Each structure stands twice: as C-alpha cells, then as structure tokens.
C-alpha cells in the first residue's frame, strides 16, 4: 500500500501514456506529489484516482462529467450507475452539503442534474462518434488517394514532356551532323 511508483510504472499499470497522465493532472486537478528534484511520484491513492478516471471513461463519461464526479465523492459511478446516482441524490437531502450551505435549492438542482444524467444514452453517442471517425478516416484515405493520383498524373506528364524534348534534341543533333557533311560528300554521295 505504501509503494511508490514512477510515471512510467503508472503508465504501464493504467494504460495511460505519460503525457496523458500529465494532462489529466491539470484537467482533473489531481494532486500528484513531487520529490525534491520536482519529479512526480505516485502512491496507491494517485493510482486509484487514475483507475477511477479510466473506469468512468469506459462508461462513456466525458472529461467534464468525470470532473464533476471527482469533485463530488458521494456520487458513486459503477455498473448500477442510475441506481447509485438516485441513492446518492436521496442521501444528499441529509448530507453535509445542505447542512453546510443551508440551501435546499442545491439539493433540487443536483437532483435534476442527476435525473438528466440518467436519461443520457452514452452508447448511442459513442457509436455515432465511432461512425463519424470512420467516415473521416475514409475521407482522409480518399483525399490521400486523390492527391497521389494527381501527383502520378503530373509525373507522367513530365515524363512525356521530357521524351518530346529528347526527340527534338535527337532531331536537332541529326540536322547538325548533316550540316557537317562536306559538300563533296553530298555531291558524290558517301557510302556508309
């Protein structure tokens, strides 16, 4: 439990690349400790925070939603997501939030927010995103093919131009050779 991990080890355990972990540190306001030389080190606490983020992502939550969940520890997101949220909202009525803020409106707002979250169909959104990503990849491939076809056509045109230039140069060379033939050879015709 008191083990200390490097960013590389945490990366291997969580599957997040090191630059993603550094990004999440800022994005989710994670308090990752640093040693005397200002290098990050991770304990079980930070490992569990990153695992929690990964779990929430796998359930289809956006970074903004994950941030809200991380800020509200009484919201538990697991397999029975909707039931847990409903239970959390019910517990909020007697929670320290209302006692601390003395505001019934906070409870009402949170209850409406969680009711809205329950109605969102993340799978459909994710499938739509995958479809759009596939479409964009196909468009990109087609654009790359078009560019290659155009480049190929340009190169073929240059080859034709060069072959015409070569033919012209050969003709010019022949004419120059014919000019050098002496008048005597032209009159009596040389046999070659």
């Amino acid at each position: 439990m008191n083990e200390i991990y490097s960013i590389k080890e945490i990366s291997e355990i969580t599957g997040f690349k090191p630059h993603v972990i550094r990004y999440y540190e800022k994005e989710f306001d994670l308090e990752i400790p640093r040693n005397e030389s200002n290098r990050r080190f991770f304990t079980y606490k930070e490992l569990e925070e990153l695992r929690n983020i990964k779990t929430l992502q796998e359930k289809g939550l956006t970074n903004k939603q994950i941030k809200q969940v991380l800020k509200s520890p009484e919201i538990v997101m697991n397999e029975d997501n909707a039931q847990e949220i409903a239970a959390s909202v019910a517990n909020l009525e007697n929670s320290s939030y209302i006692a601390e803020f003395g505001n019934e409106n906070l409870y009402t707002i949170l209850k409406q927010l969680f009711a809205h979250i329950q109605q969102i169909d993340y799978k459909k959104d994710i499938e739509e995103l995958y479809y759009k990503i596939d479409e964009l990849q196909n468009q990109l491939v087609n654009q790359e093919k078009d560019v290659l076809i155009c480049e190929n056509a340009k190169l073929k045109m240059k080859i034709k131009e060069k072959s015409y230039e070569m033919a012209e140069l050969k003709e010019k060379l022949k004419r120059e050779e014919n000019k050098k033939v002496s008048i005597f050879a032209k009159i009596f015709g040389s046999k070659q």
Side-chain angles (χ1 to χ4, degrees):
M1 284 289 193
N2 292 334
E3 192 169 345
I4 293 178
Y5 305 94
S6 69
I7 195 165
K8 183 179 177 186
E9 292 169 324
I10 287 291
S11 175
E12 290 170 0
I13 293 169
T14 61
F16 291 134
K17 297 201 180 284
H19 71 275
V20 173
I21 294 170
R22 288 189 289 273
Y23 170 74
Y24 286 167
E25 179 181 11
K26 291 177 186 170
E27 176 73 10
F28 299 118
D29 299 322
L30 301 178
E31 294 179 17
I32 297 176
R34 294 176 180 258
N35 62 18
E36 299 82 32
S37 58
N38 204 28
R39 295 188 79 135
R40 292 171 182 84
F41 68 90
F42 299 80
T43 63
Y44 184 76
K45 176 185 174 258
E46 289 79 31
L47 173 61
E48 284 305 306
E49 286 176 336
L50 290 168
R51 283 182 174 162
N52 189 25
I53 289 169
K54 186 160 195 105
T55 301
L56 295 172
Q57 286 175 336
E58 288 169 353
K59 292 181 182 181
L61 272 70
T62 65
N63 283 357
K64 191 174 182 180
Q65 293 166 335
I66 292 171
K67 213 184 272 189
Q68 289 297 341
V69 171
L70 294 176
K71 285 181 182 177
S72 305
E74 55 279 325
I75 301 171
V76 179
M77 302 291 280
N78 64 20
E79 301 305 322
D80 304 315
N81 190 13
Q83 294 169 350
E84 292 289 335
I85 290 173
S88 296
V89 170
N91 290 335
L92 277 177
E93 188 170 10
N94 298 320
S95 75
S96 60
Y97 274 114
I98 293 175
E100 184 178 334
F101 296 106
N103 189 346
E104 291 290 328
N105 289 336
L106 178 63
Y107 168 72
T108 306
I109 291 168
L110 288 173
K111 188 173 182 178
Q112 290 171 353
L113 176 66
F114 296 135
H116 177 69
I117 289 173
Q118 290 175 1
Q119 295 171 357
I120 297 173
D121 183 13
Y122 295 110
K123 288 182 182 179
K124 183 179 177 184
D125 292 340
I126 291 171
E127 287 173 5
E128 286 178 19
L129 286 174
Y130 279 128
Y131 178 75
K132 287 179 182 177
I133 288 170
D134 286 342
E135 271 185 356
L136 289 173
Q137 285 176 334
N138 288 337
Q139 286 177 356
L140 186 60
V141 167
N142 289 337
Q143 287 174 350
E144 288 173 352
K145 283 181 185 177
D146 291 345
V147 168
L148 290 173
I149 290 170
C150 288
E151 289 297 318
N152 191 18
K154 286 179 185 177
L155 289 173
K156 285 181 178 179
M157 287 298 291
K158 283 184 180 180
I159 290 172
K160 282 184 180 180
E161 288 173 6
K162 293 296 179 186
S163 62
Y164 289 138
E165 285 177 25
M166 270 182 66
E168 285 177 11
L169 288 172
K170 283 181 181 178
E171 278 297 315
K172 193 174 184 180
L173 186 62
K174 228 181 209 181
R175 279 181 275 172
E176 288 296 319
E177 287 176 358
N178 283 340
K179 280 183 184 178
K180 290 182 181 177
V181 175
S182 68
I183 293 179
F184 184 71
K186 285 183 183 178
I187 295 174
F188 294 106
S190 65
K191 295 181 181 176
Q192 290 179 341

